[in-house]
Amino acid sequence: MTRLDDELHVTGAGTGAGDVPRTSTTPSPAGDPADGASEGAAGATSVLDEADRSERRRDVRWLVSGLAFLVGAVVVGASIGPAGPEWWRVPLALVDHLPLISLDSGVSEAEWNIVWQIRMPRVVLGGLVGAALSVAGAGYQGVFRNPLVDPYLLGAAAGAGLGATLVLTVGRDATVGWPIDPVQTVAFVFALCTVAVTYFVGAAFGGTRSGATLVLAGVAVVSFVTAVQTFLLQRNLDVVREVFQWILGRLSGSTWSDVRVVTPYVLVAVAVLLLHRRHLDVFRVGDEEAATLGVSVQRTRLVIVVAATLGTAAVVSVSGLIGFVGLVVPHAIRLMAGATYRRVIPLSILFGGGFLILADVPGRMLTSPAETPIGVVTAFIGAPFFVYLLRTRKVV
Amino acid sequence: MAAVDLQDVAVRYGSHQALEPYVDRVGAGEWLGVIGPNGAGKSSLLKAVAGLVPSTGEVTVGGTTLRGLHSRRRATQVAYVAQDPLIPDDMSVFDYVLLGRTPYVGYFGAPTGHDRDVACSVIDRLRLGGFATRMLGSLSGGERQRVVLARALAQEAPVLLLDEPTSALDIGHQQQALELVTELREHRRITVIAAMHDLTLAGTYADRLVMLDGGRVVAAGAAHEVLTAERLGEVFHVCVSVDVDPDDGTVIVVPRRGFPA
């Protein structure tokens, strides 16, 4: 009896709220906005006001850390490389090139060209790719309420892989004289088409009411597309090396034009997901509950999936298949900063981008002059870090 | 205020008629208890009112037809507590209750100060003040049930649908949850439609009972009219005796050993 009463403060039906003991209440000040909302609103209000302030402080702290991490990653990414100026001069040169600031960095024009034309596109592209994959992964995980989902789940990567393989095998002779290499475009189109097929297959069987059907449709479509790709490759063993390199993922040789190609899609994905972070929190309580809360579940899910797919398809077709980032970055953020999408979405963008920029640095140095594929590095750094997080952070 | 009119509400899953056309009028502030064996159509009835399953017929709340209403408008009319709600372990109690304000938040908007005040007052009303910042995963079953109720109440809808709200609770927490609903119903004049498993509790707390079997209404009325030993034997295939408390007329259903006649 006493234990329950202590725990619940239930002293019987019909008892006015006035004589119910409260755990921590300070008398509400005269101007309390909650006065009159209901008798006794001050109890939760005062506790929550304090909690609310500390939550907002955490929001700001994390946002600042994320920005600092991203800026730091950009500087590090621009400073380190096999050729070019001494590393400590690069930050100075970067500051020098900011508008309205002039500073003697001692970096020659030729050296600056290495930084600006070779390293910077790579850094910026890495940031865009990391941000897009992480935020898409967070979005997919949110709408499907499935922690094992990554951005390639619905077939974006498999489709892009098939598209690239087609161009590099059967299409090679036809496209050899073309002014632009069609690999990226075809990969992008195939990625989108594959996801569309998954969506329609999922909708046809079991409907889009349940996200689980869509996930399973993804499994089926991906294995089919991969089989076609394997068949093509097996018939054209001479291009296996080229295709394999494409698939492994790379940021090397990126140019500003690559950056220009993916930027609009990444911006769309990032903007749409940022705008839907509150919806993703509603999704956490289930499709049915979300529907009774006035969210049109299927439409919202479609919007989020389309945005995440656009971003994923664009970056996959430019930089190949970079694994691990989209799956694990959102989880690492949940473990560190909390599971609310209010934080997970913006932080996925900042930390995901910064992480991929940093992961690209050892890739250019380790086996120089050859490149270590960035997908290898992301898993190599990311997996132990994630295990460390799992061990040290309380999940609940 | 907000009576619920049900005109020939029927639910069909493929070829299976889960709920035959159902007609009823639940008065404003009334508590309708829906009872019946598993698969009788209780949940289908509630989900049809909540708009979660395709249904035929018409539901009006306080004169407003729900069909064709924008999903957010509908959510301001009807709040629904699922039988087994999904409770994210890593969400705080306050954030969860605040989700009840979703229908009032614009598509790209954020909860306002008023939404927070409503969530706070509901949290206090349900004596959850000390839990507000705790994570849902750290709560006991009874606490979770109250948090789910708080989320539904933060919706401030005149109609509250409860799908077996107490089936996962022990007897003490069952009673506390139902007392809370009673108290809130009187406080806010909420109309309650609740599917319930425990027949004695259903008879005690509901103003009126409807018994469904195979999607059809087999009995309706006050507890002592609906809960008779023969009918329970027929519908539930159970052997019970039904006692009526001579003082306050409470109907008590007591399971007995043996098979129904």
Side-chain angles (χ1 to χ4, degrees), chain B residues 4-20:
Chain B
V4 182
D5 268 303
L6 299 129
Q7 267 309 319
D8 294 322
V9 176
V11 178
R12 190 177 187 87
Y13 302 119
S15 62
H16 172 60
Q17 187 83 33
L19 181 68
E20 302 281 346

Side-chain angles (χ1 to χ4, degrees), chain A residues 135 137-147 273-274 276-284 330-331 333-334 338-348, chain B residues 91 95:
Chain A
V135 83
Y140 277 126
Q141 285 164 7
V143 289
F144 295 120
R145 273 186 308 281
N146 184 337
L273 279 149
L274 271 176
H276 284 84
R277 56 194 198 279
R278 191 178 57 80
H279 300 250
L280 285 166
D281 269 330
V282 183
F283 268 94
R284 287 168 71 197
H331 283 306
I333 285 160
R334 285 189 191 102
T340 170
Y341 282 93
R342 197 178 64 232
R343 262 183 225 144
V344 170
I345 294 292
L347 293 181
S348 289
Chain B
M91 187 184 272
D95 282 344

Side-chain angles (χ1 to χ4, degrees), chain A residues 7-8 13 40 52 276 289, chain B residues 116 124 146 151 176 179:
Chain A
E7 181 191 336
L8 296 171
D52 220 36
H276 284 84
E289 312 283 281
Chain B
R116 307 182 87 83
D124 262 353
R146 273 186 297 148
R151 201 261 295 133
Q176 282 154 17
E179 285 294 343

Side-chain angles (χ1 to χ4, degrees), chain A residues 396, chain B residues 87-93 134-140 144:
Chain A
V396 169
Chain B
I87 298 186
D89 284 346
D90 43 11
M91 187 184 272
S92 79
V93 168
R134 293 243 314 257
M135 291 293 152
L136 293 172
S138 70
L139 302 182
S140 73
R144 283 176 192 218

